[in-house]
């Protein structure tokens, strides 16, 4: 009887501690120098495109299934690629100013996955918290993973992050009107 009670106690003690430990996730660090983040912003008179650099990033997997991720973007690296010379310098400076991303006070932006749902082979719907200029808002986007590569496209409403310059404000000249949403296309190498 004492052996049975002792055995049950050991099973309970070690069994419950084993159950308390979550499944270990496999974290794949992103090669920031080989990954790209491309942006495209729209205005009534056309659009601008550019790049922004990842500072750090990782995707988490349970086996081959994506279960999480976290990324930090260097906002000071924002740069237009469709302009040259003086016009490029002016746009880059304006995007870094407080009218837009205020990179002196907010040098990074962050994305943390909060929920990942498989939508097919290698495809996922990701919900996350995106922080820009100190403001965090939920965002949902699609992400695909193929071996050591991943791609995602996001549509971001800048006004949710207090980036309202030229945003249809009454009195804004029509040719200066900037649409609220901009696109991000992300190509990750792990």
């Amino acid at each position: 009887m004492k052996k049975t009670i002792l055995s049950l106690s050991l099973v309970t003690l070690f069994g419950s501690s084993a159950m308390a430990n979550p499944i270990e996730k496999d974290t794949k660090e992103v090669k920031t120098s080989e990954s790209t983040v491309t942006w495209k912003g729209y205005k009534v008179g056309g659009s601008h495109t550019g790049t922004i650099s990842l500072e750090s990033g990782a995707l988490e997997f349970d086996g081959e299934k994506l279960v999480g991720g976290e990324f930090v973007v260097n906002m000071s690296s924002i740069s237009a690629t469709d302009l040259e010379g003086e016009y490029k310098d002016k746009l880059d400076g304006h995007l870094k100013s407080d009218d837009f991303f205020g990179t002196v006070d907010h040098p990074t932006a962050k994305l943390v996955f909060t929920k990942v749902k498989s939508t097919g082979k290698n495809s996922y719907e990701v919900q996350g918290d995106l922080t820009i200029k100190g403001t965090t808002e939920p965002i949902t986007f699609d992400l695909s993973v193929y071996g050591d590569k991943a791609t995602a496209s996001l549509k971001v409403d800048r006004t949710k992050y207090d980036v309202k310059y030229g945003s249809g404000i009454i009195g804004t000249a029509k040719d200066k009107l900037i649409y609220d949403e901009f696109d991000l296309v992300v190509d990750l190498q792990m």
Side-chain angles (χ1 to χ4, degrees):
M1 182 73 169
K2 287 182 183 179
K3 285 184 181 180
T4 304
I5 292 173
L6 179 60
S7 296
L8 286 173
S9 297
L10 289 174
V11 167
T12 303
L13 176 65
F14 291 110
S16 63
S17 67
M19 294 170 84
N21 293 332
I23 296 172
E24 198 163 310
K25 297 175 187 168
D26 178 25
T27 300
K28 291 187 178 183
E29 296 292 325
V30 170
K31 296 175 184 173
T32 56
S33 62
E34 297 175 31
S35 300
T36 60
V37 179
T38 306
W39 58 266
K40 186 168 188 175
Y42 303 90
K43 59 184 183 174
V44 170
S47 64
H48 288 293
T49 58
T51 59
I52 193 161
S53 300
L54 281 173
E55 191 169 288
S56 64
L59 292 175
E60 294 178 348
F61 294 86
D62 180 2
E64 292 187 16
K65 183 180 177 189
L66 179 68
V67 294
E70 186 171 311
F71 297 87
V72 177
V73 174
N74 176 353
M75 294 304 294
S76 298
S77 71
I78 194 164
S79 176
T81 56
D82 65 322
L83 298 172
E84 293 180 1
E86 177 186 348
Y87 293 109
K88 174 185 169 31
D89 293 342
K90 283 183 178 180
L91 179 56
D92 289 354
H94 199 195
L95 291 172
K96 293 174 187 178
S97 78
D98 289 338
D99 280 348
F100 286 92
F101 297 105
T103 61
V104 170
D105 294 327
H106 307 283
T108 61
K110 187 174 187 177
L111 173 64
V112 178
F113 294 9
T114 56
K115 184 178 179 183
V116 180
K117 177 184 167 188
S118 177
T119 56
K121 185 175 170 103
N122 304 322
S123 300
Y124 301 90
E125 179 185 83
V126 176
Q127 293 176 12
D129 288 332
L130 178 61
T131 303
I132 298 174
K133 286 184 79 172
T135 300
T136 303
E137 290 288 334
I139 191 165
T140 301
F141 59 94
D142 294 326
L143 184 138
S144 299
V145 180
Y146 302 97
D148 286 339
K149 296 180 181 183
T151 59
S153 295
L154 295 80
K155 193 166 279 297
V156 180
D157 181 345
R158 65 190 177 95
T159 62
K160 291 181 176 181
Y161 305 93
D162 197 30
V163 181
K164 298 179 181 175
Y165 181 85
S167 173
I169 300 168
I170 295 173
T172 301
K174 194 171 188 175
D175 64 334
K176 301 288 185 191
L177 183 68
I178 302 168
Y179 294 115
D180 293 342
E181 292 186 329
F182 64 91
D183 296 328
L184 293 175
V185 176
V186 183
D187 290 306
L188 304 173
Q189 302 286 329
M190 295 172 277

